[in-house]
């Protein structure tokens, strides 16, 4: 991942602004100030947007180069903590619970055989009634990241641990994202 950031001024998934689906969804959710986790934050455009809304945001990325860019752009933003770490290793030692996890291109970046672990980790990191808000890439791609994902697979993985609040294809996507972005908001099930 660092090599991609080093070789590309703007990797394909980087939008240089918060994802419009996030901006719209946050307005609809009308969240009180809360603790938000952004795994696979890249250069932290989404995380910085959330922190600027007054939320306490922890943003994590595996790539040192991505974190370097994020810190260069957003180290001045209050309530934003940017961490370079392997998400799964970090989660094992983390003691903090979050009210919301914002997922944007992280799920498609991890190997498919870790997806169940990812959903389980999300649930474990959330406070009671915490939510996952995600912009998931729905596409057919089997050989390398971004890994493909179907709506059926995502629903199957989420439904055992989360109740769906909304599920919709984002209609205002641009470029290669058109028809690929699925916006999901799901609340952690009790127990």
């Amino acid at each position: 991942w660092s090599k991609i950031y080093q070789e590309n001024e703007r990797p394909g998934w980087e939008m240089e602004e918060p994802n419009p689906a996030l901006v719209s969804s946050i307005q609809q959710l009308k969240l009180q100030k809360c603790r938000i986790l952004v795994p696979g934050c890249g250069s932290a455009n989404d995380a910085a947007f959330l922190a600027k809304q007054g939320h306490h945001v922890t943003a994590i990325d595996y790539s040192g180069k991505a974190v370097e860019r994020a810190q260069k752009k957003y180290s001045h933003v209050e309530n934003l903590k940017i961490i370079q770490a392997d998400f799964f290793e970090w989660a094992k030692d983390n003691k903090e619970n979050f009210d919301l996890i914002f997922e944007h291109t992280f799920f498609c970046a991890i190997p498919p055989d870790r997806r169940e672990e990812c959903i389980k980790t999300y649930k474990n990191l959330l406070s009671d009634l915490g939510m996952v808000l995600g912009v998931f890439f729905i596409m057919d791609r089997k050989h390398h990241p971004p890994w493909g994902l179907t709506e059926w697979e995502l629903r199957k993985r989420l439904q055992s641990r989360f109740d769906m609040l909304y599920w919709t294809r984002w209609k205002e996507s641009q470029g290669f994202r058109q028809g690929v972005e699925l916006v999901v908001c799901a609340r952690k099930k009790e127990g």
Side-chain angles (χ1 to χ4, degrees):
W1 296 111
S2 287
K3 183 179 179 188
I4 293 170
Y5 273 96
Q6 192 167 349
E7 293 175 355
N8 295 282
E9 183 63 32
R10 184 175 171 205
W13 58 84
E14 284 287 345
M15 300 182 77
E16 299 302 322
E17 62 185 9
N19 185 292
L22 167 63
V23 175
S24 177
S25 296
I26 287 296
Q27 291 170 354
Q28 292 173 37
L29 288 173
K30 295 180 177 33
L31 295 174
Q32 300 295 318
K33 304 305 179 220
C34 63
R35 297 160 299 171
I36 299 176
L37 175 65
V38 182
C41 68
S43 58
N45 300 309
D46 298 323
F49 166 76
L50 292 164
K52 289 175 183 177
Q53 304 303 305
H55 302 290
H56 294 274
V57 181
T58 300
I60 299 173
D61 203 283
Y62 184 78
S63 165
K65 288 291 180 189
V67 168
E68 190 178 295
R69 279 190 190 186
Q71 289 174 334
K72 189 174 187 179
K73 289 170 74 172
Y74 299 116
S75 63
H76 66 282
V77 176
E78 288 185 46
N79 303 325
L80 177 60
K81 179 170 48 172
I82 303 168
I83 300 169
Q84 192 274 315
D86 175 302
F87 170 73
F88 296 104
E89 291 303 314
W90 173 87
K92 289 177 188 174
D93 297 326
N94 175 63
K95 304 293 184 235
E96 183 179 4
N97 280 38
F98 297 89
D99 304 302
L100 179 77
I101 295 175
F102 177 64
E103 147 77 53
H104 175 210
T105 70
F106 179 68
F107 203 71
C108 67
I110 61 171
D113 63 353
R114 295 197 85 178
R115 286 180 173 165
E116 194 61 33
E117 177 186 3
C118 183
I119 297 299
K120 183 179 178 183
T121 302
Y122 282 178
K123 183 178 181 194
N124 291 340
L125 289 169
L126 287 168
S127 59
D128 291 341
L129 301 178
M131 296 183 292
V132 170
L133 173 62
V135 179
F136 294 90
F137 280 9
I138 303 300
M139 61 189 167
D140 182 28
R141 191 165 180 172
K142 295 177 177 71
H143 302 294
H144 57 80
W147 302 103
L149 176 67
T150 66
E151 287 188 55
W152 179 85
E153 178 192 351
L154 182 60
R155 184 175 295 276
K156 183 179 177 200
R157 291 190 185 280
L158 286 172
Q159 69 188 6
S160 65
R161 294 182 174 91
F162 293 89
D163 292 317
M164 302 310 152
L165 301 178
Y166 68 81
W167 182 283
T168 186
R169 288 288 181 130
W170 186 245
K171 305 259 189 284
E172 299 173 33
S173 302
Q174 301 297 313
F176 79 92
R177 294 170 178 263
Q178 186 64 45
V180 173
E181 292 180 306
L182 175 71
V183 182
V184 174
C185 187
R187 185 177 309 274
K188 177 181 173 176
K189 286 185 178 181
E190 293 183 39

